[in-house]
Amino acid sequence: MLQVKDAMYPVSCPLRTDMSLVYAVETILESGYLGLPVVDTDSIVVGFLSEFDCLPHLLRDSYHCDSHVTVETLMQKNPLVVSPTMSIVDLAQQMALDKPKVYAVVEQGKLLGVITRSMLMKTLSEALKQCNAVA
């Protein structure tokens, strides 16, 4: 049975609570994801910051050409997290009902990586291809 750990990707640069808005946005854009987990100094996930969370502040701060906002003030403080051993099927069913497209993968609170809908689709598509190859 496929598990989240079979489809997740590591996060090389998670966000930190004290990051500025500009640096956080740059990190999110470079990651290629719609948002990233926020971790403390022990790599414990404490939040999540998405493009959606950043956009209104970018708009306002770029208009005024001034920003003092940090990730801590913008992040969602109850991030959606999943276990690396969760079934891919269970997560796909959950993602089919919920709007979030990115989940932090954590073990004992520590960030291991992220999993997205597109990662799940790729993994499930590859599994289906293997089924068709056998048939």
Side-chain angles (χ1 to χ4, degrees):
M1 175 180 280
L2 290 172
Q3 297 179 331
V4 167
K5 65 183 174 185
D6 300 317
M8 70 175 214
Y9 282 54
V11 175
S12 57
C13 294
L15 302 177
R16 304 248 182 228
T17 56
D18 61 345
M19 278 184 176
S20 69
L21 174 61
V22 171
Y23 188 67
V25 167
E26 184 177 301
T27 304
I28 290 170
L29 292 173
E30 287 176 0
S31 76
Y33 303 127
L34 300 175
L36 288 172
V38 181
V39 298
D40 65 12
T41 55
D42 295 321
S43 294
I44 301 292
V45 175
V46 294
F48 192 88
L49 186 67
S50 70
E51 292 174 340
F52 181 82
D53 300 322
C54 296
L55 196 55
H57 299 279
L58 277 174
L59 182 61
R60 183 194 66 223
D61 293 355
S62 65
Y63 178 79
H64 295 288
C65 212
D66 185 32
S67 180
H68 301 289
V69 178
T70 62
V71 167
E72 186 169 27
T73 59
L74 301 177
M75 71 182 190
Q76 300 165 26
K77 294 181 177 35
N78 295 316
L80 296 171
V81 298
V82 294
S83 162
T85 57
M86 182 179 194
S87 159
I88 289 285
V89 172
D90 291 343
L91 182 56
Q93 290 172 337
Q94 182 176 325
M95 281 186 159
L97 301 174
D98 295 334
K99 286 189 177 187
K101 298 170 184 80
V102 183
Y103 286 73
V105 181
V106 300
E107 190 166 55
Q108 296 178 346
K110 291 196 175 196
L111 179 65
L112 298 179
V114 294
I115 188 153
T116 66
R117 275 192 194 154
S118 59
M119 290 173 195
L120 280 178
M121 288 178 58
K122 180 180 177 187
T123 301
L124 291 169
S125 177
E126 288 171 0
L128 181 58
K129 285 179 192 174
Q130 289 180 354
C131 292
N132 290 338
V134 174

